[in-house]
Amino acid sequence: MQYWVMKSEPGEFSLLDLKGKRRAFWDGIRNYQVRNMLRDEMRVGDRALFYHSNAGAETGVVGVMEVVKNAYPDATQFDKKSKYYDAKSDYSNPRWLGVEVEFIHELPRLVSLAELKGELAFQELPLIKKGNRLSIIKLTKVQFEKIVKLANKKV
DNA sequence: GCCAACGTTGGC
DNA sequence: GCCAACGTTGGC
């Protein structure tokens, strides 16, 4: 089993949105590095932390989900009405992929970006580095468990 | 293949 | 809303 962090702006798609749907296709990945990770490394059964980005004081890790379907083509790339539409992608060789994820649980509390930055153990984590623009980041089991543990600790 | 211009992400 | 960082595009 592998571990990940997946970012979404809560105004677009939040943990509660996922909770309501139970399962969702993680669409809108338009970065080649991220696409390659989805395609080559992410597999059914992997665990992922749900990270709310661009959310002011609420920015941080809020929940846990599971990958329930390996990567397959993202339909929004062919949808002219979608903001994720990509005119250069063609049906026979789709450029963009996504995975399906399922809600597992909400963390007892937010583990904020500020808190992650304060933990020495995460100094090397790309998630907290300035200029990091990958919306999906791989974690070690230890990092994943440490973040979950922090969420269970009273502030 | 270089690199300037442009677009996007995401913290603040 | 601003802007730093950095990925992508396209002219040469």
Side-chain angles (χ1 to χ4, degrees), chain A residues 87-106:
Chain A
K88 291 181 185 160
S89 185
D90 77 273
Y91 280 98
S92 59
N93 187 23
R95 185 181 282 194
W96 304 113
L97 308 171
V99 294
E100 271 183 34
V101 293
E102 184 172 285
F103 178 84
I104 296 193
H105 63 84
E106 190 172 354

Side-chain angles (χ1 to χ4, degrees), chain A residues 37-113:
Chain A
M37 277 196 303
L38 285 181
R39 185 189 59 198
D40 303 334
E41 299 188 55
M42 195 177 264
R43 292 294 176 262
V44 168
D46 286 358
R47 292 286 161 116
L49 297 172
F50 197 123
Y51 178 92
H52 281 167
S53 62
N54 234 325
E58 301 302 306
T59 298
V61 175
V62 289
V64 180
M65 54 195 170
E66 182 175 335
V67 177
V68 290
K69 263 193 187 172
N70 290 348
Y72 63 93
D74 180 345
T76 62
Q77 70 197 302
F78 303 120
D79 177 2
K80 283 190 176 149
K81 281 172 287 181
S82 170
K83 65 171 183 162
Y84 297 125
Y85 176 67
D86 184 351
K88 291 181 185 160
S89 185
D90 77 273
Y91 280 98
S92 59
N93 187 23
R95 185 181 282 194
W96 304 113
L97 308 171
V99 294
E100 271 183 34
V101 293
E102 184 172 285
F103 178 84
I104 296 193
H105 63 84
E106 190 172 354
L107 293 175
R109 69 175 179 84
L110 168 81
V111 179
S112 70
L113 177 62

Side-chain angles (χ1 to χ4, degrees), chain A residues 8-9 17-18 21 41 48 51 56 67 69 81 89 93 99 108 113 120 122-123 133 155:
Chain A
S8 178
E9 298 198 13
D17 293 329
L18 178 62
K21 296 176 70 174
E41 299 188 55
Y51 178 92
V67 177
K69 263 193 187 172
K81 281 172 287 181
S89 185
N93 187 23
V99 294
L113 177 62
L120 263 179
F122 300 125
Q123 290 298 306
R133 306 178 64 220
V155 199

